[in-house]
Amino acid sequence: MSDQPADPLAAFGDLYLKGLAAFQSAAGSAGEEQSGRPGTQGFNPAAMLPAGTPPEVAAALTDAWRISATSALRYGQALMAVQLRYQAALLHAMSDRANGRAAEPLVLADNARAFVREIGETAEREARRLHLELDQVSEALAQALAQPGDPADPARRAYRAKA
Amino acid sequence: MNNNGSGGDVIAALGLNAEMTALGARIDAWLRGCDPEMSETLDWQFRGGSKYFRPLTIFACCRSIMPGADCGPIPPEVMTAALVVEMMHNMTLVVDDILDRSDTRRGRATMHTRFGELNALMTSGYIVAAGYEQLGGDVLAIRLVSELIKRLGVAECLQWRLRRQVLGVEDWRRIAGEDTGSMFEICACLGDRSGRLRRFGGLLGLLYHGCDDVGDVRGAAALGGGGEADVRDGILTLPAALAIRDPAIGALFTKANPTDAEYATLAAAFAARLPDAEAYLDRIAEEARTEARLFAVDPAPLYVLIEQTRGLSR
């Protein structure tokens, strides 16, 4: 592990990119489609962290990697789904127009605007989902590392993971 | 703005009977403490049979974020927010009824019809001030309620400015999202206290608005009309946005004073697009379900709200 960054956080960026590549590769592998989810055989994110990384931190960073990579993949798939949903309608309308048939401009414009809106909503929804899931990892890590406090101390942390 | 509501069945399904009873008690207590000069008008407005669907949405969103035994009773700040939202909702109804020249609401005379416009307008202002008073030092709720009142005002102006224009479903979505959508967005935020269900609330409001549009056309069509007031004002309802894709109907829609025959043509065209409108509402309901599934800890209460709302047009 000598070629790895000593800082777990610095390792995370590298881990993310490698993990994403593994996910993309797995997603394109027909043999793994039967499992219903992309696999990442041979890719062990925990092993990429520097030696001595506290187990709670390693677990959190591994979770964060998995969540981030899954999010990136899911986002790509969702964009593709939006594209497919609108492709037929938009192509049909443009074909009508090219062939001199009476394409309704209002319908075409509405479809185009709905398509653009859904692209934006897809990004926004995935960002919120990622944020929520990472927030839960962060909360769980904080809980795992929290020192037992004096119950009478009003300043003690009162963490509760939001689920 | 729309005004349909919830029934006892949905309250029971959500297990919120006690909370709704407590809300009723809060409203009664507030009414008893109001200036005697305003008592008659306020009693008239607040004891007129509201179904409290907005407070119910607040409670359901609260439950969906803090479900089960962990939640305990609805927190006091959420109960107060429900009271204030119901107050603000009633303020918008009073103003709407004046603008729309509506004589009746919920089967009885509207406030301005019963007490005159001066009393109705002054009472609406009184309600707003009293609502902020109720919020006390709850800065989050003050910010959200302020956002709501501003957005509702903007939405009404926007809707009126865009009347009798050939616009699309996307425009309807924007208008409805700012009108009823903003109301339910804020309800969701007041219930979850984090903004996590804001988008769900917006979609629920959009669904509510669309179902109301469709319900108006469906009800009026059964009586031989087609959502008469909105048609004559050239308001962009969901059935209208779908119908005016036909250029001939679009041309009629832009006329300031349609003849009776033209009005009948418009009404028939709107009614003819009801199946498309229903299909569009089904898609919005599905979007709302997705939001609930992804962002609620327990989406079950939110599913109940969606089904209740979706049923308004059927």
Side-chain angles (χ1 to χ4, degrees):
Chain A
M1 295 174 66
S2 60
D3 59 338
Q4 293 170 0
D7 179 355
L9 291 178
F12 182 74
D14 189 38
L15 188 155
Y16 175 77
L17 293 175
K18 288 180 178 171
L20 190 56
F23 252 76
Q24 286 169 334
S25 168
S29 165
E32 287 165 349
E33 284 177 2
Q34 290 173 346
S35 68
R37 54 185 297 183
T40 54
Q41 282 83 348
F43 182 73
N44 180 7
M48 296 178 64
L49 294 171
T53 300
E56 297 89 347
V57 174
L61 288 177
T62 303
D63 276 353
W65 163 79
R66 178 184 52 76
I67 288 167
S68 303
T70 303
S71 173
L73 187 64
R74 193 169 52 213
Y75 175 53
Q77 289 172 334
L79 280 183
M80 188 66 74
V82 173
Q83 171 102 12
L84 288 173
R85 197 158 56 247
Y86 282 93
Q87 192 165 263
L90 292 171
L91 285 177
H92 185 69
M94 284 188 280
S95 161
D96 277 355
R97 177 165 279 190
N99 293 326
R101 288 195 290 270
E104 296 297 348
L106 197 58
V107 177
L108 180 59
D110 239 0
N111 280 334
R113 291 173 66 194
F115 172 63
V116 169
R117 173 177 52 76
E118 284 202 35
I119 292 288
E121 286 175 352
T122 299
E124 187 256 359
R125 182 171 55 243
E126 188 54 49
R128 282 188 290 123
R129 192 172 176 183
L130 175 62
H131 186 272
L132 177 65
E133 291 176 357
L134 290 178
D135 194 43
Q136 287 164 357
V137 170
S138 176
E139 291 271 351
L141 177 59
Q143 269 194 328
L145 296 178
Q147 300 296 317
D150 176 1
D153 179 2
R156 74 192 171 89
R157 293 190 71 149
Y159 272 126
R160 190 179 66 173
K162 292 176 182 169
Chain B
M1 285 171 239
N2 300 284
N3 180 39
N4 288 312
S6 51
D9 287 351
V10 67
I11 294 170
L14 288 166
L16 289 168
N17 285 303
E19 287 77 5
M20 297 305 278
T21 302
L23 175 68
R26 282 291 302 269
I27 292 173
D28 283 343
W30 169 65
L31 288 172
R32 283 196 301 276
C34 288
D35 192 296
E37 189 67 35
M38 296 293 190
S39 287
E40 200 178 355
T41 53
L42 290 170
D43 279 353
W44 185 260
Q45 185 65 29
F46 284 88
R47 298 190 202 279
S50 170
K51 301 286 181 58
Y52 304 127
F53 191 62
R54 288 149 190 81
L56 196 66
T57 299
I58 293 176
F59 295 151
C61 286
C62 180
R63 280 276 187 262
S64 75
I65 291 296
M66 295 183 289
D70 287 351
C71 181
I74 292 286
E77 65 271 22
V78 175
M79 181 60 74
T80 298
L83 164 68
V84 173
V85 160
E86 187 62 17
M87 291 166 71
M88 297 304 177
H89 171 56
N90 274 273
M91 174 274 291
T92 68
L93 297 183
V94 171
V95 174
D96 267 5
D97 286 341
I98 294 172
L99 293 175
D100 295 344
R101 304 282 167 213
S102 300
D103 294 333
T104 59
R105 179 180 287 278
R106 300 170 189 157
R108 63 210 294 259
T110 50
M111 190 191 283
H112 72 277
T113 305
R114 180 84 165 77
F115 300 99
E117 285 191 10
L118 184 144
N119 279 329
L121 286 170
M122 293 305 110
T123 302
S124 70
Y126 186 96
I127 293 170
V128 173
Y132 277 104
E133 226 168 36
Q134 291 288 329
L135 291 174
D138 185 347
V139 176
L140 173 66
I142 290 170
R143 186 170 55 75
L144 289 168
V145 171
S146 300
E147 177 190 335
L148 170 63
I149 295 174
K150 286 192 291 184
R151 287 178 67 183
L152 287 174
V154 169
E156 287 297 310
C157 293
L158 176 70
Q159 182 165 258
W160 190 248
R161 180 170 62 79
L162 296 180
R163 74 193 184 284
R164 296 197 190 99
Q165 292 187 34
V166 179
L167 301 170
V169 173
E170 285 297 304
D171 298 291
W172 170 81
R173 197 173 171 118
R174 180 179 164 217
I175 293 167
E178 283 305 295
D179 187 350
T180 318
S182 70
M183 170 63 85
F184 283 86
E185 242 186 79
I186 298 303
C187 285
C189 293
L190 289 168
D192 73 13
R193 303 287 293 186
S194 66
R196 188 161 146 176
L197 297 176
R198 176 181 276 269
R199 177 90 184 118
F200 165 80
L203 287 165
L204 186 70
L206 195 62
L207 183 65
Y208 197 115
H209 194 112
C211 288
D212 198 54
D213 283 355
V214 167
D216 280 352
V217 172
R218 196 180 294 290
L223 300 171
E228 185 169 359
D230 284 345
V231 178
R232 292 207 182 273
D233 281 342
I235 297 298
L236 189 72
T237 62
L238 179 56
L242 291 163
I244 62 178
R245 288 173 162 181
D246 177 340
I249 300 300
L252 282 183
F253 186 72
T254 60
K255 292 189 74 170
N257 294 299
T259 64
D260 286 347
E262 288 168 337
Y263 166 74
T265 302
L266 279 172
F270 293 179
R273 299 312 295 263
L274 287 180
D276 293 334
E278 293 282 19
Y280 193 83
L281 292 172
D282 284 339
R283 290 198 292 276
I284 295 174
E286 191 51 42
E287 287 178 58
R289 277 187 213 100
T290 299
E291 276 289 316
R293 178 172 51 79
L294 293 180
F295 296 103
V297 177
D298 175 12
L302 307 185
Y303 294 156
V304 173
L305 292 179
I306 294 167
E307 292 316 307
Q308 170 72 13
T309 305
R310 186 67 193 89
L312 293 174
S313 74
R314 289 173 174 151

